[in-house]
Amino acid sequence: MPDQVTILAVDDLPQNLRLLQAVLEPRGYRLELATSGEEALAFLARPDQTVDLVLLDIVMAGIDGYEVCRRLRADPRTAYLPVVMITASGDQEKLHAIEAGADDFVAKPFHHGELVARVASLARVKRYQDTIARQAAELAEWNRELESRVRTQVDELQRLQRLRRFLPPQLADLVLDSGDESLLDSHRREIVVVFCDLRGFTPFAERSEPEEVMWVLNEYHRELGELIVEFEGTLERFTGDGLMVFFNDPIPCDDPAWRAVAMAMAMRDRVARLAQGWARRGHELGFGVGVAQGFATLGRIGFEGRSDYAAIGSVTNLAARLCAAAGAGQVLVSERVFAAVEERAAGQPVGALELRGFSRPVSTYVIESAGVSQS
């Protein structure tokens, strides 16, 4: 028969065990034999046993059938194992068997057909129990797998959110898809840095309500953020109205100086339109940009759960100082940047500027147009 049923027959009389074998084995059942209650309990305690049903005589030397049944019901591993008690007398033994936890009875001398029917019925119940237990285990495993997948997806979303704070979406997706975050390890590379902020922001913030300041910053950051994504720049940080973006890292790009200047000019035009609306509300705010090119050390900095991707080097300071020197609506660039873009951008020298933190004057140019049009 498929999925052969294993029966443990327990009786201290060998002739009774042989009789059970003669009746059940020809019908496809496999029998294990025990000649005492102690032997039966020892067998059922084995981790490799696969018994589906117990045929248990009541009257035996040593531990009787009642005690064996009670112990089986007290053990979680055998609490639901079907037990058929073989009784020699009437109702009183059956009552005691029910109290001990038996599932069914067969009276001696037993009728062969009745024995087979009762065994088949309880074996079927045991198969149902096994199926339910297996399905419950599978469901528990699916739940664990689902929880693991959800945790993984949540971790990925959190990583994506952290990466998107300073990386272009395309690069954040690349890092996540490849699983390779070595791009963010500390390294040295030539980059082009754009630093910008609002002219007149400090006095505006001092005399305005916080809600008005936040409204201006939200508009300002939204417009500039769209351009950072469009030009695929790497955002290092927001500092109120100050904003720093660099190009050519973590992924090298073609013509980073031109990208930086084109983005700076687009930012200037966007903020000029915003400033018209601000002026109607009584806020006089301008916009200045500094762009510099040079080598920097770059990489992820911070601590577990909170990190940024930063550039360290004099090139970032130079961009910040050029920004501070720019007037409203001006984009000031270093000589190196201007040399890289002068074929596509119109500009004029503004001379050598004395910039704080630099021992020598810095040759500086103002970009007047960059041959790009941003909506």
Side-chain angles (χ1 to χ4, degrees), residues 26-347:
R27 290 171 170 80
Y29 295 102
R30 184 170 70 87
L31 266 70
E32 298 284 351
L33 307 178
T35 57
S36 68
E38 292 86 351
E39 184 181 348
L41 292 172
F43 181 85
L44 291 171
R46 287 166 44 183
D48 60 339
Q49 67 86 9
T50 57
V51 170
D52 297 298
L53 182 145
V54 177
L55 287 175
L56 180 61
D57 189 30
I58 293 177
V59 181
M60 295 183 292
I63 300 176
D64 63 15
Y66 298 131
E67 180 61 20
V68 171
C69 192
R70 281 191 288 268
R71 294 191 187 186
L72 292 180
R73 294 296 175 249
D75 188 337
R77 295 172 301 174
T78 56
Y80 300 102
L81 180 64
V83 175
V84 176
M85 300 286 267
I86 301 176
T87 68
S89 59
D91 294 340
Q92 192 62 34
E93 279 194 350
K94 290 182 179 180
L95 177 61
H96 291 325
I98 291 173
E99 292 172 344
D103 297 285
D104 208 342
F105 322 94
V106 175
K108 294 180 180 179
F110 53 80
H111 184 277
H112 293 184
E114 179 186 1
L115 173 65
V116 171
R118 294 183 186 277
V119 165
S121 175
L122 286 177
R124 188 163 54 250
V125 171
K126 178 60 164 55
R127 283 290 183 255
Y128 293 154
Q129 292 174 346
D130 291 345
T131 299
I132 292 170
R134 183 178 64 255
Q135 291 174 343
E138 290 174 353
L139 180 60
E141 179 60 30
W142 290 339
N143 285 336
R144 286 192 293 270
E145 183 178 350
L146 179 60
E147 290 172 359
S148 176
R149 289 181 179 179
V150 169
R151 284 194 299 271
T152 299
Q153 290 174 347
V154 169
D155 290 343
E156 289 299 300
L157 286 173
Q158 291 175 341
R159 288 177 61 210
L160 178 59
Q161 289 171 350
R162 290 195 297 269
L163 289 172
R164 283 184 181 274
R165 290 181 57 252
F166 55 81
L167 296 180
Q170 303 94 319
L171 179 55
D173 292 338
L174 173 63
V175 172
L176 288 175
D177 291 343
S178 67
D180 181 12
E181 294 193 13
S182 62
L183 294 169
L184 310 180
D185 292 343
S186 179
H187 57 280
R188 187 166 176 80
R189 179 173 291 159
E190 187 176 33
I191 59 173
V192 180
V193 179
V194 178
F195 201 101
C196 60
D197 62 17
L198 293 173
R199 305 289 92 107
F201 182 78
T202 299
F204 156 69
E206 289 175 350
R207 66 175 180 264
S208 300
E209 294 295 332
E211 292 81 1
E212 191 76 3
V213 175
M214 291 302 296
W215 176 78
V216 167
L217 285 177
N218 285 337
E219 271 202 329
Y220 171 70
H221 289 157
R222 182 181 64 249
E223 294 292 333
L224 269 56
E226 290 178 359
L227 291 171
I228 294 169
V229 172
E230 179 181 339
F231 285 91
E232 299 181 349
T234 299
L235 174 64
E236 199 214 58
R237 63 179 182 269
F238 284 112
T239 54
D241 65 315
L243 184 148
M244 177 174 155
V245 181
F246 50 82
F247 291 85
N248 204 42
D249 189 85
I251 298 295
C253 65
D254 295 332
D255 212 348
W258 171 246
R259 285 191 187 218
V261 169
M263 184 189 73
M265 296 299 290
M267 285 179 166
R268 183 195 67 175
D269 295 343
R270 289 277 185 99
V271 177
R273 290 199 294 272
L274 290 176
Q276 294 174 4
W278 298 337
R280 288 193 291 271
R281 298 170 70 103
H283 311 316
E284 296 298 328
L285 295 168
F287 180 68
V289 186
V291 185
Q293 183 172 353
F295 281 89
T297 298
L298 304 108
R300 185 164 40 193
I301 61 173
F303 53 88
E304 183 66 27
R306 178 63 171 88
S307 62
D308 289 308
Y309 190 75
I312 307 297
S314 61
V315 64
T316 63
N317 296 332
L318 178 55
R321 298 293 177 257
L322 289 171
C323 176
Q330 279 193 324
V331 175
L332 295 185
V333 304
S334 67
E335 185 175 33
R336 190 169 184 178
V337 171
F338 186 73
V341 302
E342 60 181 334
E343 293 185 359
R344 286 184 282 180

